[in-house]
Amino acid sequence: MTGEAQGTGGVGLLERAHALEAVEDTLSLAAGGTGRLLLIEGAAGIGKSRVLDAARARASAAGFRVLAARGGELERDFSCGVALQLFERPVRALAPPDRERLLSRLPRPVAALFGSPASVDALDEAGGFALLHGLFLLTSELAERGPLALAIDDVHWADEPTVRFLLYLVARLGDLPVAILTAGRPAGHAGAGELVTRLAAGGDTRVERLEPLGTASVASIVRAELDYGVPEEVCAACRELTGGNPFYLHELLLTLVADRVDAGWLTPDRLRELSPASIARAVLLRAARLPAGAAA
């Protein structure tokens, strides 16, 4: 699992009821023929992927066809990479005659994009209107067969042509049974470009920001993960050390379990001496993207 998709043992999603209500509202509108975009926004490790996983499950249970993709920092220079993740499987799953009929109705760049192999020329034209409109037409075609949910994780790492397509699509969602469910870092994050910021600021976009977990929720997770009684002051120290970040908390508890720490040893002061290697790696990786001197 990635850091942002970490679970919390036997404890379900905590303090995320408002975000899940937004998911239900978005799906309800789309099922009625009014598409919307929902952005689950928050810092690294705050649990965006886990909420998006729950959104995908709810969409599937509600009868939506769910197409999923994830942005990647090392893949964002690949034109239409996220769009290909979304649509390549359903297009290629069609019987050859049906696929040919579908692609014949779409602009040439889109038809070439789903050829075997994908046309380099099509990717070179990825910023053009023909490709944007073609991907919109493809979305409309798929939505005619039933409500459609496009779930995109780490949208802040999505390639620019895909984000342009999302902006184009959102402006035309009014009468389409399409729910766009996305998760990403806040505006201003190093990876979130101007287009992603525009996507978040759109009038047809609903943004739900995830906040750190409170002390009571952290205590519930700590006591569910550790099989012995944990004093209140230790739970409070866990909240202080991790800032209520679910990923950091999960990694801290993994360290305690791996080191076979028992109730007699565990105190707030000893807890502060721990330094999970996974957290150190994650922090250093993020610091490396900042200006010179930040890592030191």
Side-chain angles (χ1 to χ4, degrees):
M1 300 172 94
T2 65
E4 297 194 356
Q6 296 291 352
T8 53
V11 180
L13 286 169
L14 298 173
E15 300 184 30
R16 302 301 183 234
H18 200 268
L20 294 175
E21 287 175 7
V23 169
E24 295 290 354
D25 289 346
T26 302
L27 294 175
S28 178
L29 283 169
T34 304
R36 284 291 184 273
L37 185 145
L38 172 65
L39 172 60
I40 305 297
E41 187 181 78
I46 206 68
K48 301 184 296 296
S49 295
R50 198 154 182 250
V51 172
L52 189 60
D53 286 345
R56 289 171 57 182
R58 293 185 180 209
S60 182
F64 281 73
R65 184 179 190 180
V66 180
L67 307 182
R70 179 189 293 270
E73 183 179 5
L74 301 180
E75 302 172 15
R76 63 188 316 189
D77 291 333
F78 177 43
S79 292
C80 289
V82 171
L84 275 169
Q85 285 185 57
L86 284 173
F87 296 118
E88 187 170 31
R89 182 173 295 179
V91 169
R92 295 198 185 281
L94 295 171
D98 294 334
R99 183 166 63 246
E100 290 302 318
R101 276 194 294 272
L102 171 63
L103 295 179
S104 69
R105 296 196 295 270
L106 301 177
R108 189 188 68 81
V110 176
L113 197 62
F114 296 100
S116 300
S119 167
V120 174
D121 292 338
L123 297 179
D124 289 342
E125 295 181 41
F129 175 81
L131 187 112
L132 297 182
H133 190 63
L135 289 173
F136 164 71
L137 293 176
L138 175 58
T139 305
S140 301
E141 288 266 1
L142 295 175
E144 284 182 3
R145 309 175 189 199
L148 188 66
L150 307 181
I152 306 172
D153 203 357
D154 289 340
V155 71
H156 55 281
W157 292 131
D159 57 278
E160 186 172 300
T162 293
V163 182
R164 288 187 182 279
F165 157 62
L166 292 175
L167 285 165
Y168 188 88
L169 177 60
V170 168
R172 293 158 178 79
L173 274 180
D175 57 355
L176 286 179
V178 177
I180 307 176
L181 309 169
T182 65
R185 306 274 178 88
H189 172 263
E194 177 191 352
L195 291 178
V196 174
T197 301
R198 285 172 56 187
L199 189 67
D204 290 322
T205 296
R206 177 169 178 176
V207 179
E208 285 296 322
R209 183 169 178 82
L210 302 187
E211 300 296 339
L213 299 177
T215 301
S217 294
V218 169
S220 296
I221 294 170
V222 171
R223 288 168 175 153
E225 291 283 345
L226 303 179
D227 58 358
Y228 46 79
V230 181
E232 202 67 47
E233 61 269 20
V234 172
C235 293
C238 288
R239 170 64 176 79
E240 173 196 338
L241 287 170
T242 64
N245 183 293
F247 168 60
Y248 295 160
L249 177 62
H250 179 81
E251 295 301 318
L252 177 63
L253 294 174
L254 280 181
T255 299
L256 294 176
V257 172
D259 291 348
R260 294 186 172 86
V261 171
D262 59 35
W265 182 90
L266 192 57
T267 66
D269 288 339
R270 285 174 172 159
L271 194 63
R272 293 184 182 97
E273 295 172 1
L274 295 175
S275 180
S278 56
I279 293 180
R281 286 194 297 271
V283 171
L284 288 174
L285 182 62
R286 292 170 64 191
R289 304 188 190 110
L290 299 176

